[in-house]
Amino acid sequence: MVLAKIGVRVRCVAVLAALFAVATPIAHAGCRDGASQAVDERASDLDEVEAFLAAGDRDGASAALVAWIEPGFDARAADLDDDARLALARRVDDLAKRLGLDAIVLEARSAIHAQLERTRPPEDDELLGAKLDLGAALFARGEPDAARELFERVIAVWERTKGPDASELVRVRLILGAALCSLGDFARGADLFEVARDTAVRTLPADHHLVLLATQNLALVRDRLGDVPAAVELWSAIVDFRERHRADDVAALLDAKESLAMRQ
C-alpha cells in the first residue's frame, strides 16, 4: 500500500509541466500586401472557432479548429511572411490551449519554435520561452526525452547569461528533473531537484510555492531511491512548511503528516 502510494506520487511529478506554459503576447505585426489577404482569410476561419467559444459551444469550437488544422499548420501558413506566420501560430496555440487540444498545441508550438529558431539569436528571451512552451507540450504528449533536450538548452543558456544561482532556473530544473524521472533516471532527477531546492531556499521568499514543490519532488524521488533518512528529513520539512505557510489547506497538511508518519 505504501509503495503504491509512493509510486503514484512519483508519477505525479509530470504535473510540473504546467508551470512552464510561458505566456507570450500575440504579435500584431504587419504583413506584406500579398500575405495580408491570405492571413485575413485564415484569421476569418479562426474567428469561427472564437464564435463557437463565445456561444459556449466547446464541441463546435473543437471541431472547427480540428478541421482548420487538418491540412497541417505548415500548409496553412505556407505563403505567409515571418511575422504573419508567427502571429497565426500563436493564435492557434491560444485557441488549442483553451480547448485542451494537446496535439494542436504541440503543432502550433513547434511552428513557433521553428520560426524563432530561424530568426532570433540563441539568448533571445522569446526563443527560450518558446523552448519551454514546446517542451511542456512534448512532455504533456508523452515525449519526455524530446522535452528534456529543450529544457537542457534553456538551462545552458541561462546558466551562462544569468548565472547558475538565478531563481529563474528553479522552475526549469524542476521540470527537467520531472522529465528525467519519467525516463527512469531518478538519480539525475534527484540531483536536479536538490539543486533547485537549494536555489529556491536561498533566492526566493520562505513561503514561495517553488520551495514547497522542490522539496516535495525531492522527497518523492528520495523515496523512490530508497533513501529513507533523507526522505524523512524532507517530509518533515514539508510538514513544517505547510504548518507555517499553508495551514489553511488542511487536507494537504494532513496528507503530508501521513506521508511523514509512514516513513518514521
Side-chain angles (χ1 to χ4, degrees), residues 78-90:
D79 57 347
L80 300 182
D81 67 13
D82 289 346
D83 289 336
R85 182 185 179 90
L86 191 58
L88 188 66
R90 284 176 172 158

Side-chain angles (χ1 to χ4, degrees), residues 206-231:
D207 62 346
H208 200 283
H209 69 283
L210 288 180
V211 175
L212 177 60
L213 278 172
T215 306
Q216 286 176 328
N217 280 275
L218 182 57
L220 292 170
V221 178
R222 290 297 179 208
D223 273 332
R224 177 64 176 77
L225 294 171
D227 189 349
V228 176

Side-chain angles (χ1 to χ4, degrees), residues 143-159:
E143 299 183 47
D145 197 37
R148 172 190 60 80
E149 294 180 11
L150 291 164
F151 299 141
E152 287 176 339
R153 291 179 192 175
V154 174
I155 288 173
V157 171
W158 278 356
E159 284 182 340

Side-chain angles (χ1 to χ4, degrees), residues 233-247:
E233 182 178 347
L234 289 161
W235 282 109
S236 295
I238 292 166
V239 169
D240 181 67
F241 182 99
R242 289 199 169 279
E243 287 179 336
R244 289 173 180 268
H245 308 298
R246 301 288 191 276

